Every structure is written in C-alpha cells, then in structure tokens.
C-alpha cells in the first residue's frame, strides 16, 4: 500500500516560481512514486513466467499493459498480441491483459478450448465485482470512464443492461435512470481524480440520491502519481511524462501537471522524443512516468537531460508504495 501523508516533498523553493538558483543552475525534480504499479508489475511478470513455463509462442489478448517498450520487448521474446480470442489457435494459451475482460471474452475462449491465464489487475477485478453486485440489486450503474478503453469495456460487459458510460462532465446531461433512489457511480481505475470528482458532482446535482462506490475505484497508484506531480508542478518550467499515448493514466499526468501550474508538459515514450527546443530558457524540469512504464525509460530521459546541463536531480517523494499482488494461481510456485 502507500503512505497516506506526504513523506518528503523535498522541493527547495527558489526566487521566482519555476526557476533554479540565482546563478542559473539547472535541476530536475524527479517524482516518487512513478512508474510500475503493483498491477502492471504482476501482469508483465505473468507473461514472462508463462513464457518460461510454456515456451514461445504464447498469446496475449490486447496489449498486456499500455506501454510501447513493454509490448515490443515481449513481442521479441515470442509473445503474439491479438485483438480477440478468435485469432488464437484452438487449444493454445492466451493471457488476458491487466485491463480486464468481459464475461463474453471468457465464454469465447472456452468455446475455442483455449487455456487461459487472467492477468487482470486485482483493483480492476474489484470494480467488476462491484458492477455485478449492484446489477444483482437492480441498480443503474453510472460508469465514469473513457469510451473504447479496454477496462471500461470489460467492466461494462459484466452487466451491460445496467451500466451507462459517463465519459466526463459534459456527458452528464445525457444520462437517464429508471429510479433515482437506486443509482450508483463506479469509475475506470486510471482517471484523473479531479475530473472524476467533477463528474460525480455534476451527477449528484442531477441525482441527489447518487451512491458512492463501497471503496475508492481510482487506483492508489494513479492517485499517488497525480499527487506527486501536483507537488512539483508549480516549481517546473517543464514537466516530461514518460508514457505511451494509449495509456490513460500517463495522459492524465500531463493534464494534471498543466493544471497544477507547470508552464509546459509533454508525453514521450523514449528520451529520443524529447525535443531540445523544449529546454530553451528552462531551469527546472519535472520528470514522472505512468504506471505501466519501466524505470529504464526514465533513466534514459535523465541521461539525455544531463547532457543538456540538467545534472542535479532532486527527488519529490509524496508516498511510499509497498503493495505486491500474487501471480495468477497457474503460475505460482508449488508449495512443498
């Protein structure tokens, strides 16, 4: 889990917001926590262990996590990524991604006699269980999330007749419910906390009896990374977020950085994508990464920045994360 209070924000304020010391020194503020969360770590290790146990090729439905480097590395090791289970040869092994799948996907895999390993993040599974529970009780479920995102499709698929997608505050006016006393909201786990709560506030204005989830749906890692960015952004001329464009939580970090006071913010997969022109006149650069990003990619950006004079790296620590998820039972070591 993570600590509930800031541990060491660690930012020495300087004359003039976003500026380094008066002698013109350059610095990097490095957000902690950043990068891999427990669910991503589990999902990637699941695929690696499946390769060790069963050998290549193995199949993965969708991207195991939303990161180009991770997907390309696994592909080189013999993983075949497919969009749907009907692309997997009958009887073969398929891994379901960290984002979760609907019951229909499980049924399709069973119909093709596929061997399956489910790498769904346990925090996503929790939201699935909530959707099933409230559907059994005949609630209207308002699922806050992004249309087309794999996690949303999986959660909605648990109770399609009860779930309505609410894609941000502007979608609230289009929501209809059967009984205003039996309405609950759930959310995609990787959203911006602030935008989600804005959507909830607007939903509650329309439906005063709207109920909250039994526990927070936005995952601890998403929240922690956003808190760290908020802590450092006011001091930053530039915030670089390492992550892929199809990674919802990485995209949100750019938005959070700008909303919290960073003068500019960009999303990159690799150090080579950092435009040196972004550094013109910059004294303080903030660095963070999405929850599906291995730290080697952050180190690459730090090395690139050091070559441009940003050698001082100052951590900004707002939480410690210690949560670890067990591997799927098919891959756990046998007890002796």
């Amino acid at each position: 889990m993570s600590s509930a209070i800031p541990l060491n924000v660690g930012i020495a304020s300087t004359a003039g917001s976003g500026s380094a010391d008066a002698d013109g020194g350059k610095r990097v503020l490095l957000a902690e926590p950043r990068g891999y969360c427990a669910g991503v770590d589990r999902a990637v290790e699941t695929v690696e262990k499946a390769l060790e146990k069963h050998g290549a090729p193995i199949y993965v439905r969708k991207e195991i996590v939303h990161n180009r480097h991770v997907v390309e590395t696994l592909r080189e090791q013999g993983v075949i990524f497919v969009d749907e289970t009907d692309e997997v040869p009958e009887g073969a092994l398929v891994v379901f991604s960290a984002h979760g799948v609907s019951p229909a996907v499980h049924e399709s895999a069973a119909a093709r006699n596929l061997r399956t390993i489910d790498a769904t993040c346990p925090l996503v599974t929790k939201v699935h269980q909530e959707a099933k529970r409230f559907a059994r009780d005949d609630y209207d479920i308002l699922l806050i999330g992004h249309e087309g995102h794999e996690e949303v499709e999986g959660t909605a698929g648990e109770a399609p007749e009860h779930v309505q997608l609410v894609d941000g505050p502007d979608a609230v006016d289009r929501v209809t419910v059967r009984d205003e006393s039996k309405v609950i909201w759930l959310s995609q786990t990787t959203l911006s906390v602030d935008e989600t709560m804005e959507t909830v506030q607007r939903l509650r204005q329309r439906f005063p009896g709207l109920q909250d989830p039994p526990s927070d749906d936005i995952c601890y890692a998403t929240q922690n990374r956003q808190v760290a960015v908020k802590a450092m952004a006011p001091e930053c001329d530039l915030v670089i977020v390492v992550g892929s464009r199809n990674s919802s939580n990485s995209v949100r970090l750019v938005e959070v950085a700008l909303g919290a006071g960073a003068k500019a913010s960009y999303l990159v997969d690799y150090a080579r994508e950092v435009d040196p022109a972004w550094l013109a006149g910059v004294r303080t650069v903030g660095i963070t990464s999405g929850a599906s990003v291995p730290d080697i990619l952050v180190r690459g950006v730090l090395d690139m920045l050091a070559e441009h004079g940003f050698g001082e790296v100052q951590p900004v620590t707002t939480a410690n994360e210690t949560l670890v998820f067990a591997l799927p039972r098919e891959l756990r070591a046998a007890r002796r």
Side-chain angles (χ1 to χ4, degrees):
M1 298 298 290
S2 59
S3 107
I5 59 174
L7 301 172
N8 174 25
V9 173
I11 304 175
S13 295
T14 53
S17 177
S19 301
D21 50 52
D23 66 5
K26 299 175 179 179
R27 65 173 178 169
V28 173
L29 299 181
L30 183 60
E32 296 180 4
R34 64 180 182 278
Y36 270 14
C37 63
V40 165
D41 195 39
R42 174 182 184 266
V44 175
E45 188 178 359
T46 293
V47 177
E48 293 170 343
K49 293 292 187 185
L51 279 169
E52 289 177 14
K53 182 174 181 179
H54 300 284
I58 68 166
Y59 294 82
V60 175
R61 182 185 180 275
K62 307 292 187 183
E63 294 186 353
I64 185 66
V65 296
H66 286 159
N67 183 263
R68 276 175 56 192
H69 175 80
V70 171
V71 169
E72 290 167 3
T73 300
L74 291 173
R75 186 176 283 124
E76 290 169 0
Q77 295 172 8
V79 175
I80 298 173
F81 293 92
V82 298
D83 284 329
E84 298 298 344
T85 53
D86 60 10
E87 300 172 53
V88 181
E90 288 203 22
L93 175 67
V94 61
V95 178
F96 296 140
S97 80
H99 307 104
V101 299
S102 69
V105 174
H106 286 283
E107 292 165 7
S108 173
R112 294 181 57 76
N113 196 31
L114 301 181
R115 293 172 292 147
T116 63
I117 299 176
D118 192 349
T120 300
C121 172
L123 299 180
V124 174
T125 299
K126 177 186 77 72
V127 182
H128 282 226
Q129 296 301 326
E130 290 171 350
K132 289 192 286 188
R133 168 188 164 188
F134 287 100
R136 284 195 300 267
D137 292 339
D138 201 29
Y139 275 73
D140 281 322
I141 300 166
L142 307 183
L143 177 60
I144 301 172
H146 297 303
E147 186 171 3
H149 192 280
E150 290 147 44
E151 182 187 327
V152 165
E153 292 176 350
T155 302
E158 294 285 2
E161 69 283 2
H162 287 85
V163 173
Q164 292 181 66
L165 178 63
V166 185
D167 195 344
D170 293 339
V172 169
D173 291 341
R174 297 191 292 274
V175 174
T176 59
V177 301
R178 296 167 298 155
D179 180 351
E180 293 190 12
S181 68
K182 297 192 72 173
V183 185
I184 189 164
W185 69 273
L186 303 177
S187 81
Q188 182 180 328
T189 63
T190 55
L191 299 181
S192 158
V193 176
D194 293 339
E195 182 178 345
T196 300
M197 296 319 297
E198 180 185 350
T199 303
V200 171
Q201 183 178 18
R202 290 184 56 174
L203 284 170
R204 187 159 279 125
Q205 288 171 355
R206 287 203 59 200
F207 311 113
L210 179 70
Q211 296 187 36
D212 296 325
S215 60
D216 201 347
D217 283 347
I218 296 179
C219 93
Y220 76 95
T222 296
Q223 295 187 55
N224 287 347
R225 280 145 191 73
Q226 291 175 15
V227 168
V229 167
K230 287 179 180 180
M232 72 182 184
E235 288 287 322
C236 295
D237 301 301
L238 168 68
V239 172
I240 296 174
V241 177
V242 184
S244 295
R245 300 190 186 283
N246 64 337
S247 166
S248 178
N249 76 90
S250 298
V251 173
R252 300 290 84 72
L253 288 172
V254 173
E255 297 170 355
V256 168
L258 292 171
K263 295 177 182 176
S265 184
Y266 299 97
L267 181 67
V268 301
D269 266 297
Y270 300 101
R272 63 177 179 266
E273 297 175 3
V274 176
D275 186 343
W278 298 346
L279 304 176
V282 167
R283 288 290 176 264
T284 300
V285 179
I287 302 291
T288 189
S289 58
S292 52
V293 178
D295 213 45
I296 188 173
L297 302 182
V298 175
R299 292 200 297 271
V301 173
L302 290 173
D303 290 345
M304 178 269 179
L305 289 173
E307 292 171 1
H308 287 78
F310 292 86
E312 178 189 348
V313 179
Q314 186 176 351
V316 179
T317 304
T318 53
N320 279 336
E321 294 178 353
T322 58
L323 182 64
V324 176
F325 292 133
L327 290 172
R329 64 181 181 276
E330 297 91 344
L331 298 171
R332 295 175 198 164
R335 292 183 179 179
R336 299 190 178 187

